[in-house]
Amino acid sequence: MLDVRGLKKVYEGSGRRVEAVRDLTFTVDAGELVCLVGPSGCGKTTLLKCVGGLLTPTAGEVLIGGRRVTGPPPDMAVVFQEYGRSLFPWMRVRENVELPLKQKKLTAARRRELVADALASVGLMDAAGAYPWQLSGGMQQRVAIARALAYEPRVLLMDEPFAAVDAQTRADLEDLVRGLWRQRGITILFVTHDIDEAVYLGERVLILSSSPTVVQEQLKVDLPADRDQLHTRVAPRFAELRTHVYEQIQAAKRGTPVADRLVKDLTDTPPPQ
Amino acid sequence: MRGANALLGACGLAAFLALGEAVPRLGLVDEEYFPPTSRIADALAGELSDDAFWTALGDTLTGWAIGLVIAVSAGIVAGVLISVTPYLREATASTIEFLRPIPSVALIPLAVLLYGTELRSVLLLVVYASFWQVLVQVMYGVQDVDPVAEETARSYGLGTWARVRHVLWPTALPYVMTGVRLAAAVALILAVTAELVIGAPGLGARIAVAQTSQAVPEMYALVVVTGLLGLLINVGARTVERRALAWHQSVRGEVAV
Ligand SMILES: Nc1ncnc2c1ncn2[C@@H]1O[C@H](COP(=O)(O)OP(=O)(O)OP(=O)(O)O)[C@@H](O)[C@H]1O
Ligand SMILES: [Mg+2]
C-alpha cells in the first residue's frame, strides 16, 4: 500500500544544510497500523510530509498503491501535531470537517451524512456548531480526527497527534484511533515519541535512528488485536516489547544497534544495516 | 462602568462647547474669527435647511465612496496577487516603498492638468491615498497565514483558488478591515482637500466659498460637519469590522458551547 524507498531529505537554505533523513526504506501493508518512533529531531515530521506529498524528497521515492507521490494524494489524510493551528478558527466545527469534502465534489446530502457520521464517531455531535477555539484541546484533536475520517482516506498519517493532551484524554484518544482503525480498515502510519503508545497502538513499530536517520529496526507487535488500557499495558509481553523498543531507541541515540536476544524472536524483518 | 465613561465623555464635550461659547464672549479671542458655539450652531442649522449644502454633502460622499471602493478593490486584488505569485513580491517591494510615501496632495497639479475640477480629479487623489493603506495591510495579512493551516489545506487537496478563499482570505481579513478603516478616513481627508484646493464641487469647495465671502460661522459649521462625517465613518467601519470578525481573537468573547 505504502512504499517508501531510499527516502532522503536535505533542507537547504539560509546558509544551513540539514540532512533530516538519510535513507529510509519500509513498507506499510494495506489496512495495517504502523507506529513510527524515533528520537526527537530525527526527521519523523519530515518523513511524514514527504509521504503526504507536502515536501519533495531530495532522493528516493514514495509510492502509494503503486503510484508515485508528487503532490498530496487524493486518498490520504494527515492529522497534524499542532491541532490548534490545523483547524480553521473562522469556521465552525461542522464547516471545518466539511471543507475538504467540498473539494471532492460530493453532493450536499452526502457531505452532511459524512460530517455527521465522522463527528458521531469521535463523540462530538453536540459541538458541530461551535468554533474550534471554544473547545478543549482534546476535543479539538478529535475534530481534526473527524475531519480526516470524513474525508474517507485509504491512508491516514498522524504526526504525534496526542503529544499535547493530558494522560487521561490521551488514553481515550488512543482507544478511539484503534477502534476506528479496526472498524474502517484504514491504513495508518502513526508517529509518536511515546514508546508505550507505539507498542499499545501498533501492529508493527518502526524505530528510527537519530540523525543521520535510517530505519533502526522493525518490530512486530504480537499482542492480541483486542487491546485495552487496563490489561494490555500490564501484560508481561507488553513490558518485554516496550523494554526492547526502549533499548533500541537508546542504542539509536548512541548510534549502535543492540543485537540482544529479543531481536531474533521478535522481528519479522531484520534491521536494515 | 460603561455608563460612567459615557457620562464623563458627555461632560467633557459639554465643557468644551461651553468654553467655545465663553472664550469669544469674554473677548479673549477675536469674535470675528472665533465665533461662539451658539453662532456656529445657528449657522449649522442654516446650512442644514439649505439645498445647496445637501448637494455639496452628496458630492463629497460620492467622491469619497467611489474612490474608496476603487481603492479597496484594487488594493485587495493587487495585494493577494502580489503575495501569491512567486517572485512578484520581491519584484514590486522597492517600487511600492518608493510610491507609497508620495503624499497624495503632491499629485494635485497632475490631477488638475488631467481632469480640471471634475469628480475624476478628486477620485485620482482619493484612490492614490487610500490604495496604499489597503495594499500594505493586505500584504501584512497574507504573511500572517499559518504554515500549519496552509499545509492542512494542501494535504486535503485544496487548489490555489480554494486556499486563497478559505485560508488566505480569512487570515488576512482582520488586516483588510484595518486597511479599509484607515483608507476610509484618509479618503475623506483627501476628498475634502481636493475640493478645497481644486474647487471640485463638494463640502470643501463650500468651505472655500464661505471663507472668501467672510461667512466665518458657516465656515466653522461646515468644518464641524466634516468632523462629524469622519466620526460616523470610523464608527461605521468599526461596526462592520466587529460583525465580520466575530470569530477573531480581537473580537470574540468567552462563549459557552
Ligand atoms: N523547514 C526546515 N528547514 C530546515 N531544517 C528543517 C526544517 N524542518 C525541519 N528541519 C530540520 O530537520 C530535522 C528533522 O526535523 P523534524 O521536524 O522532521 O524532526 P522530528 O523527528 O519530527 O522531531 P520531533 O520529534 O521533535 O517533532 C531537524 O534537525 C530540523 O532542524
Ligand atoms: Mg515532529
Side-chain angles (χ1 to χ4, degrees), chain A:
Chain A
M1 183 73 210
L2 177 63
D3 221 337
V4 178
R5 294 183 190 160
L7 188 78
K8 172 187 174 97
K9 177 69 193 178
V10 180
Y11 288 107
E12 265 174 289
S14 51
R16 224 168 69 98
R17 187 177 178 280
V18 182
E19 187 182 36
V21 297
R22 171 166 288 180
D23 181 12
L24 290 178
T25 302
F26 63 88
T27 58
V28 179
D29 293 333
E32 202 181 7
L33 200 176
V34 172
C35 288
L36 201 75
V37 282
S40 182
C42 75
K44 303 183 293 291
T45 300
T46 305
L47 164 65
L48 226 56
K49 283 184 182 167
C50 288
V51 173
L54 296 168
L55 275 181
T56 315
T58 310
E61 57 181 0
V62 177
L63 304 173
I64 287 182
R67 257 173 315 155
R68 191 181 169 141
V69 172
T70 50
D75 42 10
M76 176 185 284
V78 186
V79 175
F80 291 88
Q81 178 174 352
E82 304 96 334
Y83 48 78
R85 291 162 57 196
S86 169
L87 297 173
F88 303 136
W90 47 85
M91 291 181 183
R92 293 171 191 279
V93 164
R94 184 190 304 113
E95 295 153 351
N96 262 289
V97 176
E98 191 180 9
L99 179 63
L101 305 181
K102 288 194 175 150
Q103 308 305 313
K104 281 186 141 185
K105 313 236 181 309
L106 300 172
T107 64
R110 177 73 185 133
R111 289 204 303 262
R112 260 200 308 279
E113 196 182 317
L114 283 170
V115 171
D117 181 43
L119 285 176
S121 300
V122 299
L124 277 181
M125 260 330 256
D126 300 336
Y131 283 102
W133 40 267
Q134 295 173 323
L135 305 179
S136 72
M139 287 161 96
Q140 289 179 20
Q141 190 55 288
R142 269 145 70 201
V143 175
I145 294 173
R147 178 169 62 183
L149 286 178
Y151 196 61
E152 297 192 297
R154 286 197 297 155
V155 182
L156 178 60
L157 307 179
M158 305 181 92
D159 189 5
E160 305 198 26
F162 311 143
V165 295
D166 63 274
Q168 194 54 55
T169 312
R170 186 181 188 127
D172 292 343
L173 290 174
E174 284 167 6
D175 289 334
L176 176 71
V177 166
R178 240 194 106 76
L180 290 169
W181 168 70
R182 293 188 69 185
Q183 253 171 46
R184 304 196 177 208
I186 317 170
T187 310
I188 301 183
L189 184 59
F190 189 105
V191 168
T192 174
H193 61 247
D194 183 322
I195 297 164
D196 287 47
E197 184 168 84
V199 174
Y200 180 75
L201 278 181
E203 299 296 289
R204 202 144 55 89
V205 176
L206 291 180
I207 303 159
L208 300 187
S209 72
S210 58
S211 196
T213 313
V214 295
V215 179
Q216 173 98 0
E217 195 197 329
Q218 309 202 17
L219 176 75
K220 183 147 186 72
V221 178
D222 48 4
L223 293 168
D226 271 317
R227 299 180 191 174
D228 70 87
Q229 298 285 351
L230 266 186
H231 301 100
T232 308
R233 283 183 190 272
V234 294
R237 188 64 186 150
F238 183 87
E240 279 171 32
L241 287 165
R242 76 168 295 286
T243 308
H244 178 74
V245 176
Y246 182 78
E247 283 170 358
Q248 283 293 329
I249 289 190
Q250 290 305 317
K253 282 187 192 159
R254 291 191 306 269
T256 49
V258 280
D260 69 303
R261 67 208 143 68
L262 274 160
V263 176
K264 286 172 201 66
D265 52 76
L266 285 181
T267 41
D268 53 344
T269 351
Q273 281 108 331

Side-chain angles (χ1 to χ4, degrees), chain B residues 162-199:
Chain B
R163 292 206 303 279
V164 167
R165 184 160 161 236
H166 295 294
V167 182
L168 188 145
W169 176 247
T171 306
L173 197 56
Y175 294 83
V176 174
M177 286 294 175
T178 306
V180 171
R181 188 156 44 78
L182 297 175
V186 168
L188 182 68
I189 295 172
L190 261 296
V192 174
T193 308
E195 292 158 2
L196 197 61
V197 178
I198 302 175

Side-chain angles (χ1 to χ4, degrees), chain B residues 34-234:
Chain B
F34 296 97
T37 311
S38 55
R39 278 193 46 212
I40 297 176
D42 277 348
L44 184 58
E47 286 291 327
L48 294 182
S49 56
D50 186 345
D51 282 345
F53 164 79
W54 292 105
T55 314
L57 180 65
D59 286 337
T60 299
L61 285 180
T62 308
W64 170 80
I66 297 179
L68 186 62
V69 167
I70 296 175
V72 168
S73 329
I76 290 172
V77 171
V80 170
L81 276 183
I82 289 175
S83 310
V84 302
T85 316
Y87 308 119
L88 201 52
R89 195 188 176 84
E90 287 71 22
T92 53
S94 46
T95 313
I96 291 174
E97 283 318 306
F98 169 68
L99 290 177
R100 190 158 68 103
I102 297 178
S104 219
V105 284
L107 299 181
I108 287 179
L110 175 69
V112 173
L113 275 180
L114 284 177
Y115 305 122
T117 57
E118 282 179 57
L119 175 63
R120 281 190 286 177
S121 267
V122 178
L123 288 184
L124 176 72
L125 302 179
V126 169
V127 170
Y128 190 86
S130 14
F131 172 74
W132 302 113
Q133 305 285 341
V134 181
L135 180 76
V136 168
Q137 289 294 328
V138 171
M139 289 174 71
Y140 277 134
V142 171
Q143 274 192 323
D144 202 35
V145 168
D146 191 319
V148 178
E150 176 72 9
E151 278 184 338
T152 304
R154 278 215 295 141
S155 76
Y156 282 116
L158 273 72
T160 307
W161 170 238
R163 292 206 303 279
V164 167
R165 184 160 161 236
H166 295 294
V167 182
L168 188 145
W169 176 247
T171 306
L173 197 56
Y175 294 83
V176 174
M177 286 294 175
T178 306
V180 171
R181 188 156 44 78
L182 297 175
V186 168
L188 182 68
I189 295 172
L190 261 296
V192 174
T193 308
E195 292 158 2
L196 197 61
V197 178
I198 302 175
L203 286 177
R206 209 170 155 79
I207 292 176
V209 170
Q211 181 219 4
T212 47
S213 56
Q214 295 291 311
V216 177
E218 281 70 23
M219 190 183 81
Y220 276 99
L222 289 165
V223 170
V224 168
V225 171
T226 54
L228 287 176
L229 269 187
L231 188 70
L232 280 179
I233 286 169
N234 198 20

